[in-house]
Amino acid sequence: MKTDQDFMRMALDLAATAKGKTNPNPVVGAILVKDGMIVGSGIHRKAGEPHAEVHAFHMAGEHALGATLYVTLEPCSHFGKTPPCANLVKDSGVKRVVVATEDPNPSVGGKGINLIKNAGIEVEVGVLKEEALKLNERFIHNMIYEMPFVISKVAMTLDGKIAAYTGHSKWITGEEARREVHELRNKVDGILVGVGTVLADNPQLTTRLEVQGKNPIRIIMDSNLRIPLDAHVADCTEAATIIVTTKERNDEKAKLLMKKGVKILTVPSMNGKVALKMLYKEGITDILLEGGSEINASFMREKLIQKYLVYVAPKILGGKSSYTPYRGEDVETINEAVQLRYADVEKVGEDLKITAYPL
Protein backbone atom coordinates (compact mmCIF):
# COMPACT_ATOMS: atom_id res chain seq x y z
CA MET A 1 0.00 0.00 0.00
CA LYS A 2 1.51 3.33 -1.10
CA THR A 3 1.67 6.19 1.41
CA ASP A 4 1.16 9.95 1.12
CA GLN A 5 4.95 10.27 0.89
CA ASP A 6 5.08 7.83 -2.04
CA PHE A 7 2.46 9.71 -4.06
CA MET A 8 3.97 13.11 -3.21
CA ARG A 9 7.38 11.90 -4.33
CA MET A 10 5.82 10.93 -7.66
CA ALA A 11 4.33 14.42 -7.94
CA LEU A 12 7.73 15.99 -7.14
CA ASP A 13 9.44 13.82 -9.76
CA LEU A 14 6.83 14.94 -12.29
CA ALA A 15 7.37 18.60 -11.41
CA ALA A 16 11.15 18.26 -11.76
CA THR A 17 10.80 17.36 -15.45
CA ALA A 18 9.74 20.98 -16.12
CA LYS A 19 12.74 22.66 -14.47
CA GLY A 20 13.90 25.62 -16.51
CA LYS A 21 10.75 25.68 -18.64
CA THR A 22 8.29 27.48 -16.36
CA ASN A 23 10.26 30.61 -15.37
CA PRO A 24 9.23 32.95 -13.80
CA ASN A 25 6.63 30.52 -12.42
CA PRO A 26 7.41 27.62 -10.08
CA VAL A 27 7.54 23.99 -11.16
CA VAL A 28 4.48 22.11 -9.91
CA GLY A 29 3.31 18.52 -10.12
CA ALA A 30 -0.15 17.13 -9.27
CA ILE A 31 -1.49 13.59 -8.93
CA LEU A 32 -5.07 12.43 -8.31
CA VAL A 33 -5.43 9.11 -6.49
CA LYS A 34 -8.60 7.10 -5.96
CA ASP A 35 -8.76 3.72 -4.22
CA GLY A 36 -4.97 3.52 -4.33
CA MET A 37 -4.83 4.08 -8.10
CA ILE A 38 -3.57 7.14 -9.97
CA VAL A 39 -6.47 8.49 -12.03
CA GLY A 40 -4.91 11.80 -13.12
CA SER A 41 -1.58 13.60 -13.25
CA GLY A 42 -0.19 16.83 -14.57
CA ILE A 43 2.61 19.36 -14.49
CA HIS A 44 2.82 23.08 -15.11
CA ARG A 45 4.60 23.04 -18.45
CA LYS A 46 5.19 26.70 -19.24
CA ALA A 47 4.34 30.16 -17.92
CA GLY A 48 0.94 31.24 -19.23
CA GLU A 49 -0.23 27.67 -19.80
CA PRO A 50 -2.63 25.70 -17.54
CA HIS A 51 -1.36 24.73 -14.12
CA ALA A 52 -0.61 21.16 -12.98
CA GLU A 53 -3.99 20.74 -11.24
CA VAL A 54 -5.87 21.58 -14.46
CA HIS A 55 -4.07 18.84 -16.40
CA ALA A 56 -4.62 16.31 -13.58
CA PHE A 57 -8.38 16.99 -13.35
CA HIS A 58 -8.73 16.92 -17.12
CA MET A 59 -7.13 13.48 -17.22
CA ALA A 60 -9.18 12.14 -14.28
CA GLY A 61 -12.55 13.37 -15.46
CA GLU A 62 -15.37 11.91 -13.34
CA HIS A 63 -12.85 9.79 -11.41
CA ALA A 64 -11.78 12.92 -9.51
CA LEU A 65 -14.94 12.67 -7.40
CA GLY A 66 -13.93 11.38 -3.96
CA ALA A 67 -10.23 11.24 -4.90
CA THR A 68 -7.19 12.62 -3.07
CA LEU A 69 -5.17 15.36 -4.75
CA TYR A 70 -1.42 15.45 -4.17
CA VAL A 71 0.14 18.75 -5.24
CA THR A 72 3.70 19.94 -4.69
CA LEU A 73 2.78 23.60 -4.15
CA GLU A 74 -0.30 25.27 -2.70
CA PRO A 75 -2.99 25.81 -5.35
CA CYS A 76 -3.07 29.47 -6.37
CA SER A 77 -5.97 31.65 -5.26
CA HIS A 78 -5.37 34.71 -7.45
CA PHE A 79 -6.05 35.55 -11.08
CA GLY A 80 -2.85 35.76 -13.11
CA LYS A 81 -2.48 34.60 -16.70
CA THR A 82 -4.73 31.67 -15.73
CA PRO A 83 -7.72 31.32 -13.35
CA PRO A 84 -7.08 30.37 -9.69
CA CYS A 85 -6.60 26.63 -9.15
CA ALA A 86 -7.97 26.75 -5.59
CA ASN A 87 -11.46 27.37 -6.99
CA LEU A 88 -11.06 24.41 -9.34
CA VAL A 89 -10.03 22.16 -6.44
CA LYS A 90 -12.86 23.47 -4.24
CA ASP A 91 -15.48 22.61 -6.85
CA SER A 92 -13.89 19.35 -8.05
CA GLY A 93 -15.45 16.90 -5.61
CA VAL A 94 -12.16 15.64 -4.17
CA LYS A 95 -12.39 14.53 -0.56
CA ARG A 96 -8.81 15.29 0.47
CA VAL A 97 -5.90 17.49 -0.61
CA VAL A 98 -2.26 16.87 0.35
CA VAL A 99 0.07 19.84 -0.20
CA ALA A 100 3.85 19.68 0.09
CA THR A 101 4.37 23.37 0.91
CA GLU A 102 2.62 26.72 0.98
CA ASP A 103 3.20 29.19 -1.84
CA PRO A 104 5.77 31.89 -0.91
CA ASN A 105 4.07 34.35 -3.25
CA PRO A 106 2.61 37.10 -1.01
CA SER A 107 -0.52 37.18 -3.18
CA VAL A 108 -1.17 33.51 -2.28
CA GLY A 109 0.43 32.76 1.12
CA GLY A 110 -2.07 30.25 2.54
CA LYS A 111 -5.16 31.75 0.92
CA GLY A 112 -5.55 28.85 -1.47
CA ILE A 113 -5.34 26.32 1.35
CA ASN A 114 -7.90 28.25 3.43
CA LEU A 115 -10.28 28.45 0.48
CA ILE A 116 -10.18 24.68 0.07
CA LYS A 117 -10.52 24.04 3.82
CA ASN A 118 -13.51 26.36 4.05
CA ALA A 119 -15.22 24.22 1.42
CA GLY A 120 -15.15 21.32 3.88
CA ILE A 121 -12.30 19.46 2.17
CA GLU A 122 -9.64 17.81 4.35
CA VAL A 123 -6.24 19.42 3.77
CA GLU A 124 -2.82 18.24 4.94
CA VAL A 125 0.21 20.48 4.47
CA GLY A 126 3.91 19.65 4.79
CA VAL A 127 4.35 16.20 3.24
CA LEU A 128 7.92 16.15 1.83
CA LYS A 129 8.12 19.88 2.46
CA GLU A 130 11.93 20.10 2.39
CA GLU A 131 12.11 18.35 -0.97
CA ALA A 132 9.43 20.67 -2.35
CA LEU A 133 11.24 23.77 -1.09
CA LYS A 134 14.51 22.62 -2.67
CA LEU A 135 12.78 21.92 -5.97
CA ASN A 136 11.48 25.51 -6.12
CA GLU A 137 14.45 27.25 -4.49
CA ARG A 138 14.73 29.63 -7.43
CA PHE A 139 11.07 30.68 -7.28
CA ILE A 140 11.11 31.07 -3.48
CA HIS A 141 14.19 33.31 -3.65
CA ASN A 142 12.53 35.39 -6.39
CA MET A 143 9.40 35.91 -4.29
CA ILE A 144 11.29 36.91 -1.14
CA TYR A 145 14.09 39.09 -2.56
CA GLU A 146 12.91 40.09 -6.06
CA MET A 147 16.34 39.13 -7.37
CA PRO A 148 17.65 36.29 -9.53
CA PHE A 149 18.79 33.06 -7.87
CA VAL A 150 22.55 32.92 -8.45
CA ILE A 151 24.41 29.61 -8.87
CA SER A 152 28.21 29.80 -8.77
CA LYS A 153 29.71 27.07 -10.96
CA VAL A 154 33.40 26.30 -10.58
CA ALA A 155 35.63 23.65 -12.15
CA MET A 156 38.91 23.24 -10.26
CA THR A 157 41.79 20.87 -9.60
CA LEU A 158 42.17 18.99 -6.33
CA ASP A 159 44.45 21.75 -5.05
CA GLY A 160 41.88 24.44 -5.82
CA LYS A 161 43.16 25.86 -9.12
CA ILE A 162 40.93 26.95 -12.01
CA ALA A 163 43.70 27.91 -14.46
CA ALA A 164 47.47 27.95 -14.90
CA TYR A 165 49.31 31.24 -14.35
CA THR A 166 48.98 31.89 -18.11
CA GLY A 167 45.20 31.71 -17.82
CA HIS A 168 45.00 28.39 -19.67
CA SER A 169 42.10 26.32 -18.30
CA LYS A 170 40.89 23.90 -21.01
CA TRP A 171 39.97 21.40 -19.86
CA ILE A 172 40.10 20.89 -16.10
CA THR A 173 37.13 18.56 -15.79
CA GLY A 174 36.10 15.63 -17.94
CA GLU A 175 33.50 15.33 -20.68
CA GLU A 176 30.71 14.12 -18.36
CA ALA A 177 31.04 17.14 -16.05
CA ARG A 178 31.14 19.54 -18.99
CA ARG A 179 28.01 17.96 -20.45
CA GLU A 180 26.24 18.36 -17.13
CA VAL A 181 27.11 22.06 -17.09
CA HIS A 182 25.53 22.47 -20.53
CA GLU A 183 22.41 20.76 -19.20
CA LEU A 184 22.39 23.34 -16.40
CA ARG A 185 22.79 26.19 -18.90
CA ASN A 186 19.73 24.78 -20.64
CA LYS A 187 17.66 25.39 -17.48
CA VAL A 188 18.69 28.91 -16.41
CA ASP A 189 17.63 32.32 -17.71
CA GLY A 190 21.09 33.87 -17.72
CA ILE A 191 24.81 33.10 -17.64
CA LEU A 192 27.08 35.78 -16.17
CA VAL A 193 30.79 36.51 -16.56
CA GLY A 194 33.05 39.51 -16.20
CA VAL A 195 34.65 41.21 -19.18
CA GLY A 196 37.98 39.70 -18.11
CA THR A 197 36.69 36.25 -19.06
CA VAL A 198 35.60 37.58 -22.45
CA LEU A 199 39.00 39.16 -23.08
CA ALA A 200 40.89 36.05 -21.97
CA ASP A 201 38.82 33.27 -23.53
CA ASN A 202 36.37 34.85 -26.01
CA PRO A 203 33.71 32.30 -24.96
CA GLN A 204 30.42 31.72 -26.76
CA LEU A 205 28.50 30.99 -23.52
CA THR A 206 25.90 28.96 -25.36
CA THR A 207 24.29 25.60 -24.66
CA ARG A 208 25.77 22.70 -26.59
CA LEU A 209 23.79 19.49 -26.24
CA GLU A 210 23.04 16.56 -28.54
CA VAL A 211 19.45 17.82 -28.75
CA GLN A 212 18.62 21.49 -29.30
CA GLY A 213 18.88 23.33 -25.98
CA LYS A 214 17.92 26.74 -24.69
CA ASN A 215 20.60 29.40 -24.83
CA PRO A 216 20.53 31.53 -21.67
CA ILE A 217 20.91 35.29 -21.95
CA ARG A 218 24.61 36.13 -21.77
CA ILE A 219 25.33 38.79 -19.15
CA ILE A 220 28.68 40.58 -19.18
CA MET A 221 29.80 42.84 -16.33
CA ASP A 222 31.88 45.52 -18.10
CA SER A 223 32.09 48.92 -16.40
CA ASN A 224 34.05 50.65 -19.20
CA LEU A 225 32.93 48.63 -22.24
CA ARG A 226 36.27 46.98 -22.86
CA ILE A 227 34.53 44.18 -24.74
CA PRO A 228 35.77 43.81 -28.35
CA LEU A 229 33.15 44.43 -31.01
CA ASP A 230 34.08 41.13 -32.65
CA ALA A 231 33.72 39.07 -29.43
CA HIS A 232 31.55 35.96 -29.75
CA VAL A 233 29.12 37.31 -27.14
CA ALA A 234 28.67 40.52 -29.15
CA ASP A 235 27.12 38.43 -31.93
CA CYS A 236 23.45 38.06 -30.95
CA THR A 237 22.32 35.85 -33.82
CA GLU A 238 22.42 32.69 -31.68
CA ALA A 239 21.83 34.06 -28.17
CA ALA A 240 20.91 37.40 -26.58
CA THR A 241 23.49 39.45 -24.69
CA ILE A 242 23.15 42.06 -21.95
CA ILE A 243 26.12 44.16 -20.93
CA VAL A 244 25.97 45.74 -17.47
CA THR A 245 28.05 48.90 -17.54
CA THR A 246 28.39 52.37 -15.94
CA LYS A 247 28.05 55.97 -17.05
CA GLU A 248 31.83 56.08 -17.48
CA ARG A 249 31.47 53.85 -20.53
CA ASN A 250 32.33 54.82 -24.10
CA ASP A 251 29.01 56.04 -25.53
CA GLU A 252 30.05 55.55 -29.16
CA LYS A 253 31.01 51.96 -28.47
CA ALA A 254 27.70 51.45 -26.67
CA LYS A 255 25.86 52.59 -29.81
CA LEU A 256 27.85 50.18 -31.99
CA LEU A 257 27.11 47.29 -29.62
CA MET A 258 23.40 48.13 -29.59
CA LYS A 259 23.39 48.11 -33.41
CA LYS A 260 24.62 44.53 -33.15
CA GLY A 261 21.63 43.69 -30.93
CA VAL A 262 23.36 43.89 -27.54
CA LYS A 263 21.26 45.35 -24.73
CA ILE A 264 23.06 47.88 -22.50
CA LEU A 265 22.10 48.19 -18.83
CA THR A 266 23.63 51.16 -17.05
CA VAL A 267 24.16 51.06 -13.27
CA PRO A 268 25.36 53.98 -11.10
CA SER A 269 28.39 51.94 -10.03
CA MET A 270 29.49 48.35 -10.61
CA ASN A 271 27.45 47.05 -7.69
CA GLY A 272 26.38 43.42 -7.89
CA LYS A 273 23.14 43.83 -5.94
CA VAL A 274 21.97 46.79 -8.00
CA ALA A 275 22.81 44.90 -11.20
CA LEU A 276 20.86 41.84 -10.07
CA LYS A 277 17.82 43.96 -9.17
CA MET A 278 17.87 45.45 -12.67
CA LEU A 279 18.34 42.06 -14.31
CA TYR A 280 15.36 40.69 -12.37
CA LYS A 281 13.22 43.51 -13.79
CA GLU A 282 14.40 42.32 -17.22
CA GLY A 283 12.77 38.96 -16.47
CA ILE A 284 15.91 37.03 -15.50
CA THR A 285 14.99 34.79 -12.56
CA ASP A 286 18.13 32.67 -12.23
CA ILE A 287 21.76 33.07 -13.24
CA LEU A 288 24.67 30.70 -13.68
CA LEU A 289 27.78 32.58 -12.53
CA GLU A 290 30.68 31.28 -14.61
CA GLY A 291 32.96 34.25 -14.15
CA GLY A 292 36.63 34.50 -13.35
CA SER A 293 38.03 34.54 -9.85
CA GLU A 294 37.62 38.30 -9.32
CA ILE A 295 33.92 38.52 -10.13
CA ASN A 296 33.33 35.24 -8.28
CA ALA A 297 34.92 36.76 -5.20
CA SER A 298 32.93 39.98 -5.56
CA PHE A 299 29.61 38.12 -5.65
CA MET A 300 30.70 35.87 -2.78
CA ARG A 301 31.70 38.76 -0.51
CA GLU A 302 28.49 40.65 -1.31
CA LYS A 303 26.56 37.47 -0.35
CA LEU A 304 24.87 37.36 -3.74
CA ILE A 305 25.43 33.63 -4.36
CA GLN A 306 22.63 31.28 -3.28
CA LYS A 307 24.16 27.98 -4.41
CA TYR A 308 27.66 26.67 -5.09
CA LEU A 309 28.37 23.91 -7.61
CA VAL A 310 32.03 22.89 -7.47
CA TYR A 311 33.44 20.26 -9.84
CA VAL A 312 36.76 18.88 -8.55
CA ALA A 313 39.03 17.12 -11.04
CA PRO A 314 41.57 14.46 -9.97
CA LYS A 315 44.46 16.73 -10.96
CA ILE A 316 47.00 18.82 -9.06
CA LEU A 317 48.31 21.95 -10.77
CA GLY A 318 50.42 23.57 -8.08
CA GLY A 319 52.22 26.88 -8.55
CA LYS A 320 52.19 30.18 -6.69
CA SER A 321 50.51 32.15 -9.47
CA SER A 322 47.91 29.65 -10.64
CA TYR A 323 44.39 31.04 -10.47
CA THR A 324 42.02 30.11 -7.65
CA PRO A 325 38.19 30.26 -7.91
CA TYR A 326 37.59 33.19 -5.54
CA ARG A 327 40.44 35.69 -5.28
CA GLY A 328 39.45 39.26 -4.51
CA GLU A 329 40.79 41.02 -1.44
CA ASP A 330 42.72 39.08 1.19
CA VAL A 331 41.23 38.51 4.63
CA GLU A 332 43.21 38.33 7.84
CA THR A 333 41.62 35.38 9.65
CA ILE A 334 39.79 32.12 8.99
CA ASN A 335 36.86 33.62 10.90
CA GLU A 336 36.18 35.83 7.87
CA ALA A 337 35.57 32.84 5.62
CA VAL A 338 32.16 32.44 4.02
CA GLN A 339 30.52 29.50 5.79
CA LEU A 340 28.83 26.85 3.65
CA ARG A 341 26.71 23.75 4.21
CA TYR A 342 27.42 20.71 2.06
CA ALA A 343 24.17 19.43 0.58
CA ASP A 344 25.48 16.73 -1.73
CA VAL A 345 28.68 15.12 -3.01
CA GLU A 346 28.55 12.85 -6.04
CA LYS A 347 30.83 11.49 -8.72
CA VAL A 348 30.37 12.73 -12.28
CA GLY A 349 32.61 10.72 -14.57
CA GLU A 350 36.08 10.96 -13.01
CA ASP A 351 35.26 14.22 -11.23
CA LEU A 352 33.53 15.04 -7.95
CA LYS A 353 30.59 17.46 -7.82
CA ILE A 354 30.00 19.26 -4.55
CA THR A 355 26.72 21.13 -3.99
CA ALA A 356 26.80 23.62 -1.13
CA TYR A 357 24.68 26.45 0.23
CA PRO A 358 25.79 29.50 2.25
CA LEU A 359 24.75 29.44 5.89
Side-chain angles (χ1 to χ4, degrees), residues 165-181:
Y165 80 95
T166 58
H168 185 264
S169 61
K170 293 183 179 179
W171 296 105
I172 289 177
T173 52
E175 185 177 338
E176 292 90 341
R178 298 200 299 273
R179 185 186 306 116
E180 190 170 279
V181 170

Side-chain angles (χ1 to χ4, degrees), residues 14-176:
L14 269 178
T17 63
K19 286 211 78 169
K21 301 173 185 177
T22 65
N23 299 14
N25 291 353
V27 291
V28 183
I31 288 178
L32 279 161
V33 177
K34 188 173 184 179
D35 299 326
M37 301 289 291
I38 296 174
V39 295
S41 65
I43 62 170
H44 178 43
R45 297 170 182 165
K46 185 180 179 181
E49 292 190 2
H51 290 184
E53 299 93 322
V54 175
H55 290 298
F57 281 115
H58 184 265
M59 180 185 291
E62 62 184 17
H63 298 293
L65 189 65
T68 295
L69 170 67
Y70 295 88
V71 62
T72 59
L73 191 67
E74 173 184 0
C76 60
S77 59
H78 63 293
F79 280 91
K81 292 182 179 179
T82 59
C85 290
N87 287 342
L88 173 65
V89 177
K90 174 178 71 73
D91 299 331
S92 67
V94 297
K95 68 175 182 180
R96 184 167 173 255
V97 176
V98 182
V99 179
T101 184
E102 291 185 354
D103 194 323
N105 188 333
S107 62
V108 179
K111 295 176 183 177
I113 290 170
N114 289 334
L115 184 67
I116 297 167
K117 282 183 177 178
N118 291 337
I121 299 171
E122 178 188 348
V123 180
E124 183 174 350
V125 182
V127 175
L128 300 188
K129 179 178 180 177
E130 292 305 314
E131 290 91 332
L133 291 173
K134 184 178 180 181
L135 182 64
N136 271 313
E137 58 190 4
R138 183 269 308 162
F139 176 71
I140 293 167
H141 180 79
N142 294 162
M143 291 298 99
I144 296 173
Y145 299 102
E146 295 186 340
M147 291 170 64
F149 185 88
V150 178
I151 305 165
S152 173
K153 190 281 295 182
V154 167
M156 70 180 193
T157 60
L158 188 60
D159 59 334
K161 308 294 185 180
I162 62 170
Y165 80 95
T166 58
H168 185 264
S169 61
K170 293 183 179 179
W171 296 105
I172 289 177
T173 52
E175 185 177 338
E176 292 90 341

Side-chain angles (χ1 to χ4, degrees), residues 19-21 23 151 153 170-171 177-193 197 201 203-209 213-218 233 238-239 286-291 309 311:
K19 286 211 78 169
K21 301 173 185 177
N23 299 14
I151 305 165
K153 190 281 295 182
K170 293 183 179 179
W171 296 105
R178 298 200 299 273
R179 185 186 306 116
E180 190 170 279
V181 170
H182 282 282
E183 290 171 355
L184 182 56
R185 287 183 180 183
N186 187 42
K187 295 177 181 178
V188 297
D189 288 337
I191 179 170
L192 188 150
V193 301
T197 296
D201 301 334
Q204 292 180 322
L205 301 180
T206 52
T207 300
R208 294 182 292 281
L209 294 170
K214 176 185 79 173
N215 284 321
I217 296 173
R218 300 168 300 187
V233 293
E238 190 175 359
D286 52 3
I287 288 172
L288 186 62
L289 176 61
E290 289 201 54
L309 291 181
Y311 292 86

